[in-house]
Amino acid sequence: MTDPIVATTLGLGDGPLFGLPLARLWFALVFAVFGTFLFLDGFDFGVGALFATRDDAHEREQLLAAIGPFWDGNEVWLVVFGGMLFAVFPEVYAALFSRHYLLMFAILAALILRGLAPEMYEQRHDDAWQRRWGQAFVVGSITAPFFLGVFAGNWLFGVTGVASPASVLVGLAVVALTVVDGAAYLGLKTRGDVRLETRALGHLAQVAYLILAVAALVAGSRSASHVTLLSLPTLGLVGLTVLLAGVHVLAGRADQYYLAFAAVAAQVYGLVALVAILLYPQIDPATGLTVTAAVVSTLPLNLSTIGAGVLLPLVVSYFVVLYSAFSGPVEEQDAYA
Amino acid sequence: MIDPVIASRLQFALTTIVHIIFPVMSMGLAPFLIYFTWKEIRTQEQVYEQLRVFWTKIFAISFVVGTVTGIVLEFEFGTNFAAFATAAGELFGGPLAIEGMMAFMLEATFLGIFVFGRDEVGDRLYMLSSIFVGLGTWLSAVWILIANSWMQTPRGFEVARESGQPVISLVDPIAAYANPRFPWMYIHMQNAAVLSVALFITGVAAYYVWTNRDTRFWRKTMKVGLAVLLVTAPFQAIHGDAYGRHVAETQPKKFAAMEAQYDTESSVGLKLLAFPTSLEDVIDPHAENLFVVELPFVASILASGGDPGAQITGLDDIPGESPPVAIVFWAFRAMVGLGMWFILLAFWGGYRWLRGELFEDDLLAKALVGSSVLGIVTVELGWIVTEVGRQPWVIQGVMKTHAGVSAGLTGAEALATLAGFVGVYTALLVLYWYVVVRLIREEAPTRPPALERDTPGREEVVPNDD
């Protein structure tokens, strides 16, 4: 074994950085990163689902062009979420992923399909090929958030089997939310018929999301002992979501697309926050493991904190550069690549 | 029903073997793309724009397939190797998280600008994007290889036992992450990636130059590829030698398996060519039962760093289980053999180039075409030596591979996903191959002159062609 003199000199193993409650901060950060993934890749998923409603080849190209430069970067937030959970709560990472073995591979299959489809769609310009990959894009874009939602539901409700009715409802709610997200995003990136028609679908999905989310909570609080529907944070967040849903619909009607999009983003983070709040102080209800018991020891925790503290602001700056390089609506003649 | 341990190991091997193709393509193409972009901006020459646009298409599709297959690997640590992930997460998870934030994010966001943004951003930001994309691919390898090299030569940790399972804690991050194996692996891997892509693009270009001697685009590609090959191929062999010495010091079992050395001997020669004298020895080669063409004393010199009489410890004299010798032995022979062939090919091309006959030698063109994917094959062989050679350990000397598999995993589950991966990954490989070949045939900016006269606009040729 080597002499741990360097680490000791740095003092990184002695106590949490600046005396911060790092376990709880990381719990929040992991969910914030997941929320960012669900918000950003969520509109990619939603655009993928709405792709099914467009028959015109030109409009389909516009939808692909709207997410073209962004979706690679958006998807990386899922990888970062996985990496962070692994680095800071490895026991939870291992337990959740191995417990939901087949579900994880369903998520992977959906992500593979969704990832390949837009790239493949553009490789050939004949009808049969584009129809197939268009279908693959739609299927991948709907199943990926569905399985991710079921996974989140299983996690929250401590389900140890394949799924429960409550977690299936969470899956459906997440699909509805991504459609809301995608439609709101297309409000910013498109004009004309595409914008108006997807906006109407987004408003329908908004209603569906509210119903499904409440149904999932009711079903979940009956089956899982740790979830109580009638608690202040739950009711507060549900109330806030209803309010934001109203803002989204009204702002959309008034052509205030930025406000509508912001109201949707807030709903996505609200959903993820609700999951985190309902879990806390546990992090894995199926085993009763708490946040403070699951976290790694002080030295690697401090190192991860320094790493994330330096890198995450940089990552945010890349996204600012990327989104400002392609700001504004996609042009009529824009294609995917 | 199949043993979940065996199914998990097969699945991980399969998913890694397929995945590695795509990062090799993107890491190897990155410096070429940076060069083409720089030349395009500096010289305003059309050929560099064409080179940049065309090879970016290959890069983009490689990146997409690399991403989806890479997420699979990250997930597999949790799904199939949960015991490993739990025991070693404190050391192993950190590099993965940092890889995501530091490298993958950089690559994925700036790839958006690089692929879609030539007309959206200025030259300076565009140039910077190409550099960031390349930097991202290379930094990814840094963190992945930091994690992997720690598993090969682990340091900077302590092991405790909790109800029979090892719990590994990080004690000294500098010892753990500035691991002695890391620089060896990193340089070998990065050079291999550039070498593989140089072979690939030279091979593709040689085909077109050979079938149609008038295309500026492919001539340029061939020259750039060959120039890079001339540097990377010899360097890989020189570096590989020194790397071998490091392996002999730190993983003697692996080194002995590479040479099929069961007995401890002095003054051991390096086997240039070795094949068994009986069929039985194909699956269990023993150094003493092989027909060998060897350089006397060289293996001893390599292992010791200069002493021709140095002793090499045989597998039978090192305590503990040995890796599967045949796989390691043959993969190593094939890797070195191909490496030698690449050097020969590079010098052959270089000689023709010097004589001004680079595009006139049909045999050279055929050799280059035939070798275009051999670089990637060689990378696979190298990884097989590295990963099979360290078995039965997942963390050398600390945790055996079978102990790292998820406890609750059933054979049925593991078999189901293994079968799924065989299907999906075969389809992925076929699809990737189809798309790359199609891009090369249909979307390369040059066509034979006869065809060009018939169909003046490229756009008219491409659609509805099947």
Side-chain angles (χ1 to χ4, degrees):
Chain A
M1 212 61 34
T2 47
D3 183 8
I5 187 128
V6 184
T8 329
T9 339
L10 293 172
L12 283 171
D14 300 345
L17 215 57
F18 311 120
L20 289 166
L22 287 182
R24 273 172 283 164
L25 281 176
W26 270 96
F27 179 72
L29 184 62
V30 163
F31 278 94
V33 167
F34 189 77
T36 304
F37 161 73
L38 194 61
F39 163 52
L40 293 175
D41 219 21
F43 63 68
D44 301 329
F45 292 140
V47 169
L50 291 164
F51 193 81
T53 67
R54 314 313 301 176
D55 291 330
D56 181 57
H58 187 71
E59 288 181 359
R60 292 192 147 202
E61 290 289 343
Q62 266 182 285
L63 257 53
L64 288 174
I67 61 166
F70 309 111
W71 76 262
D72 277 333
N74 294 346
E75 191 173 57
V76 179
W77 285 97
L78 180 67
V79 179
V80 173
F81 161 75
M84 282 180 165
L85 195 64
F86 194 174
V88 176
F89 303 104
E91 206 177 332
V92 180
Y93 179 82
L96 276 176
F97 280 38
S98 59
R99 196 189 305 140
H100 302 299
Y101 187 80
L102 293 176
L103 183 58
M104 299 318 289
F105 287 98
I107 293 172
L108 288 172
L111 288 174
I112 289 175
L113 204 59
R114 200 293 301 255
L116 282 179
E119 197 67 36
M120 287 297 157
Y121 185 90
E122 296 298 334
Q123 293 295 331
R124 271 175 53 176
H125 294 268
D126 65 283
D127 286 345
W129 175 271
Q130 292 206 327
R131 202 171 49 245
R132 289 272 161 68
W133 285 108
Q135 285 162 352
F137 183 43
V138 173
V139 171
S141 298
I142 293 173
T143 50
F146 174 70
F147 290 133
L148 280 162
V150 174
F151 170 70
N154 282 349
W155 182 357
L156 170 63
F157 302 128
V159 179
T160 48
V162 175
S164 71
S167 46
V168 170
L169 283 168
V170 175
L172 293 172
V174 171
V175 173
L177 186 58
T178 58
V179 175
V180 178
D181 198 1
Y185 177 73
L186 289 175
L188 296 173
K189 300 301 277 186
T190 58
R191 296 289 181 263
D193 285 352
V194 181
R195 189 193 224 183
L196 290 175
E197 287 169 32
T198 54
R199 186 177 80 183
L201 290 168
H203 291 171
L204 266 178
Q206 176 72 81
V207 176
Y209 169 64
L210 289 181
I211 295 168
L212 286 164
V214 171
L217 272 177
V218 173
S221 62
R222 284 184 176 185
S223 58
S225 56
H226 68 286
V227 178
T228 40
L229 191 59
L230 289 173
S231 69
L232 198 61
T234 323
L235 290 176
L237 273 165
V238 171
L240 188 66
T241 301
V242 174
L243 188 72
L244 288 164
V247 173
H248 164 225
V249 173
L250 291 176
R253 292 233 167 107
D255 290 341
Q256 298 285 320
Y257 290 98
Y258 273 104
L259 181 60
F261 190 52
V264 172
Q267 286 182 66
V268 177
Y269 283 102
L271 176 67
V272 175
L274 183 63
V275 172
I277 288 167
L278 289 173
L279 279 171
Y280 193 81
Q282 294 182 348
I283 185 166
D284 186 9
T287 56
L289 197 65
T290 62
V291 172
T292 38
V295 82
V296 290
S297 59
T298 311
L299 175 60
L301 191 60
N302 282 342
L303 285 173
S304 296
T305 309
I306 295 169
V310 173
L311 293 170
L312 281 180
L314 263 174
V315 167
V316 171
S317 73
Y318 309 155
F319 274 76
V320 171
V321 173
L322 176 69
Y323 279 85
S324 43
F326 299 94
S327 62
V330 290
E331 303 295 326
E332 286 288 315
Q333 68 274 13
D334 267 2
Y336 178 73
Chain B
M1 195 48 71
I2 195 170
D3 177 10
V5 173
I6 293 177
S8 294
R9 291 178 65 175
L10 282 175
Q11 180 176 307
F12 199 83
L14 168 75
T15 47
T16 326
I17 282 173
V18 175
H19 170 69
I20 190 73
I21 296 170
F22 312 107
V24 165
M25 287 298 285
S26 42
M27 288 187 298
L29 273 171
F32 288 96
L33 293 181
I34 294 171
Y35 173 73
F36 296 150
T37 309
W38 179 68
K39 289 292 277 186
E40 178 192 344
I41 290 171
R42 284 289 294 270
T43 67
Q44 303 283 332
E45 277 185 60
Q46 196 203 11
V47 69
Y48 290 110
E49 187 193 345
Q50 290 176 330
L51 284 165
R52 193 254 311 156
V53 169
F54 177 74
W55 292 108
T56 298
K57 287 180 183 168
I58 308 274
F59 184 97
I61 188 80
S62 307
F63 176 81
V64 165
V65 186
T67 303
V68 295
T69 53
I71 295 178
V72 170
L73 291 185
E74 190 194 33
F75 275 37
E76 278 176 334
F77 289 117
T79 54
N80 292 71
F81 294 92
F84 163 76
T86 307
E90 189 166 313
L91 273 118
F92 192 80
L96 292 194
I98 302 285
E99 190 248 351
M101 287 186 282
M102 180 189 273
F104 200 21
M105 275 293 187
L106 187 68
E107 183 183 357
T109 46
F110 284 95
L111 187 64
I113 296 181
F114 189 66
V115 171
F116 296 91
R118 187 66 186 98
D119 302 323
E120 313 289 329
V121 301
D123 280 353
R124 191 169 297 182
L125 179 54
Y126 193 73
M127 185 68 231
L128 209 58
S129 299
S130 76
I131 293 171
F132 282 164
V133 169
L135 193 64
T137 68
W138 283 50
L139 280 173
S140 262
V142 167
W143 291 99
I144 296 302
L145 291 180
I146 280 178
N148 189 288
S149 63
W150 179 78
M151 296 159 94
Q152 307 279 347
T153 50
R155 300 200 312 174
F157 65 96
E158 272 173 10
V159 189
R161 297 256 158 204
E162 243 173 55
S163 54
Q165 284 296 99
V167 178
I168 299 165
S169 8
L170 177 62
V171 184
D172 186 344
I174 294 175
Y177 298 136
N179 192 280
R181 175 57 56 83
F182 169 73
W184 292 108
M185 278 191 140
Y186 188 72
I187 293 170
H188 209 62
M189 180 70 224
Q190 291 308 74
N191 194 63
V194 179
L195 167 60
S196 301
V197 167
L199 273 165
F200 181 69
I201 72 172
T202 313
V204 171
Y207 176 79
Y208 283 96
V209 172
W210 170 41
T211 49
N212 167 31
R213 287 164 196 265
D214 276 319
T215 52
R216 176 148 191 249
F217 175 83
W218 289 118
R219 284 178 178 224
K220 197 87 194 175
T221 306
M222 193 168 160
K223 280 187 178 171
V224 173
L226 188 59
V228 173
L229 194 63
L230 269 163
V231 178
T232 51
F235 177 72
Q236 190 73 350
I238 296 164
H239 182 266
D241 268 0
Y243 181 7
R245 203 172 311 146
H246 174 76
V247 172
E249 280 166 18
T250 52
Q251 290 177 303
K253 279 253 184 210
K254 187 190 280 184
F255 189 81
M258 280 152 62
E259 292 292 324
Q261 195 74 39
Y262 281 83
D263 303 315
T264 303
E265 282 181 293
S266 304
S267 307
V268 183
L270 182 81
K271 302 170 193 67
L272 284 181
L273 243 181
F275 50 90
T277 46
S278 80
L279 205 59
E280 200 177 298
D281 290 324
V282 173
I283 42 173
D284 186 17
H286 285 72
E288 64 270 26
N289 297 345
L290 299 170
F291 173 80
V292 168
V293 179
E294 66 175 16
L295 297 173
F297 309 112
V298 173
S300 285
I301 294 173
L302 282 183
S304 63
D307 176 11
Q311 198 177 61
I312 292 183
T313 314
L315 285 164
D316 290 343
D317 295 315
I318 309 169
E321 259 176 90
S322 294
V325 175
I327 299 176
V328 180
F329 177 80
W330 290 117
F332 181 66
R333 301 259 95 56
M335 175 187 77
V336 172
L338 284 167
M340 295 296 149
W341 164 241
F342 300 152
I343 295 172
L344 186 73
L345 202 56
F347 287 162
W348 180 7
Y351 172 73
R352 286 296 187 187
W353 194 353
L354 210 63
R355 299 269 307 259
E357 304 161 345
L358 180 58
F359 305 122
E360 317 304 324
D361 187 341
D362 284 358
L363 194 62
L364 171 65
K366 285 178 196 168
L368 285 168
V369 173
S371 306
S372 54
V373 296
L374 291 184
I376 290 168
V377 171
T378 313
V379 171
E380 301 279 9
L381 291 165
W383 273 107
I384 288 169
V385 174
T386 305
E387 296 300 287
V388 177
R390 69 164 146 137
Q391 297 305 325
W393 300 102
V394 62
I395 306 165
Q396 181 78 40
V398 180
M399 187 180 203
K400 294 229 170 116
T401 310
H402 67 79
V405 172
S406 309
L409 185 62
T410 66
E413 285 173 327
L415 184 65
T417 57
L418 174 61
F421 274 115
V422 170
V424 171
Y425 274 41
T426 307
L428 262 184
L429 278 179
V430 171
L431 197 63
Y432 179 74
W433 181 252
Y434 168 75
V435 166
V436 168
V437 169
R438 194 185 164 280
L439 279 173
I440 290 168
R441 292 168 64 126
E442 312 269 336
E443 310 254 329
T446 52
R447 296 180 159 271
L451 241 159
E452 252 167 359
R453 273 196 295 277
D454 294 341
T455 51
R458 244 186 70 231
E459 285 308 311
E460 294 170 36
V461 187
V462 179
N464 303 320
D465 50 349
D466 320 61

